[in-house]
Amino acid sequence: MLLELRDIEKTFKDNQVLKGIDLTVEQGEVVAIIGPSGSGKTTLLRNINFLETANSGSMTFRDQNIDMARPSKEQILWTRRHMAMVFQNYNLFKNKTALENISEGLVFGQNMAKKEADSLAEIALDQVGLLDKKDFYPSQLSGGQQQRIGIARATVLNPDIILFDEPTSALDPELVGTVLRDMKQLAEQGQTMIVVTHQMSFARDVADRVMFFADGEILEQGDADEIFDHPKNDRTKQFLSAIAEDY
Amino acid sequence: MKLSRIITTLLSGLPVTLTLLVFSFVFASAIGLGVAWLALRKNNFWSGAARLYLGLIRGTPPLLMLLLTYYGLPKLFMLIGVDINDWAKMIFGITGLSVGWSAYLSEAFRSAYLSVDKGQYEAALVVGMDSKDAFWQIIMPQTALIALPNIENLVIGLVKATSLVYVIGLIDMYNAATDLSNQNQGVYKLGIFVVLALVYWLIVLTIEWIFRSIRNDYEYVTV
């Protein structure tokens, strides 16, 4: 087991966003988290890499036990240096070129020499088919290109887990496919991923396990067939049928 | 009166004007950065102290700031037994303008810092940077670019504020011009002031050009 979360609770003012989440992720597993907006999916991801601090709960990541409510600075940095994250709105560094966006984490997070970092960054850029854009700034790139660089920025770190926070939600519909293709390729290479997504087709085709998340709780989880074709929970059924009406 | 006489007289005051401008800007920026840093701290004492400073300084007319510096600073130093009455007037001029402009610059830095997209900092953290690297690599450069137009305005304002040093008897360009005008009973007044305006205008154009060049270097960085 690579990651285990135990009883994570998170409250914003009077609003309890996470109501005791338990979650385990195996090495190489792709976990998709689906569910209505505002249900706490993103907050859960942000608690895992300490962009938010939980009110209570604990985590075992690799061999480290971490108190989620009271992580030490070293534990936070260590966790972040073994994970990566892809954001909904890309968050590429606006003052850095595509190549620098990718090499930055190697240079400053992993103390790699600039030259070595650059050559790894070029390989990562090539993998997402954007090597010719290496000297472009984010403002010169489309959303799809930015997000694929966001993915390259994550993979180049060789992280144990990549957290995807609705990676295609801000994209033009026609650009969604390229990003999903990169993610699928990663999954096939055995990259462990937790993906918060509204792309049901991705969850169905790529995820080893799908979790239905609503009102701060995991209401149901299982493989894609179980969740999509044989949901047991009424709330899951309601959500899936509401989505189906879109098509 | 020959035009060349007007120009040479005005230019004799130019070094004082430029010295005031450059040193006041450098010191005002340094103080401004420090005050902005304090104002942004979570510690109530320091952020409160910074806010009090900003309120007082911004509420004082620049002219009055020069007078307070010129007459007040020696008294303050007397309290610790140091006599600074012999210091050059230039030092008082630079001090008064630096303090006065530090508050404006501080607010330019602070507001720029606050408008950097929070996601930029988070992205830096999740690629494994510590907060120090995230600040210097990502946040600070973007803050500077956001603050640039405000800083440009403030520098241009400072160019004009240097003319206020006449109140402490410094002979800058403006003071040289009024002296020349008075020596001639005001006969050539208009000509002198038109030339003076042109010189200030040239200085401002140069400043605009410098800032435009900086911005052009970061043409594709939209912050």
Side-chain angles (χ1 to χ4, degrees), chain A residues 46 49 51 77 80-81 83-85 87 89 91-96 101 104-106 108-109 137-140 153 157, chain B residues 117-131 133 137-139 141-142 145 217-223:
Chain A
R46 292 169 59 84
N49 62 7
L51 290 182
L77 200 59
R80 287 177 180 156
R81 287 182 175 174
M83 288 186 187
M85 187 176 211
F87 294 89
N89 50 1
N91 283 345
L92 292 191
F93 305 128
K94 296 172 186 173
N95 58 324
K96 303 281 177 185
N101 259 280
E104 203 82 342
L106 295 171
F108 292 96
Y137 284 91
S139 69
Q140 297 171 281
R153 175 170 75 175
L157 301 169
Chain B
D117 181 0
K118 273 215 157 51
Q120 295 286 305
Y121 184 62
E122 293 184 347
L125 295 181
V126 302
V127 299
M129 287 192 208
D130 58 28
S131 51
D133 287 334
Q137 288 298 313
I138 308 299
I139 305 305
Q142 295 191 24
L145 281 174
D217 287 346
Y218 299 95
E219 191 183 353
Y220 295 113
V221 180
T222 49
V223 282

Side-chain angles (χ1 to χ4, degrees), chain B residues 27-41 46 50 102 106 109:
Chain B
F27 290 127
S29 298
I31 302 169
L33 278 175
V35 175
W37 181 71
L38 287 180
L40 286 163
R41 292 180 63 126
W46 287 114
S102 67
S106 173
F109 297 141

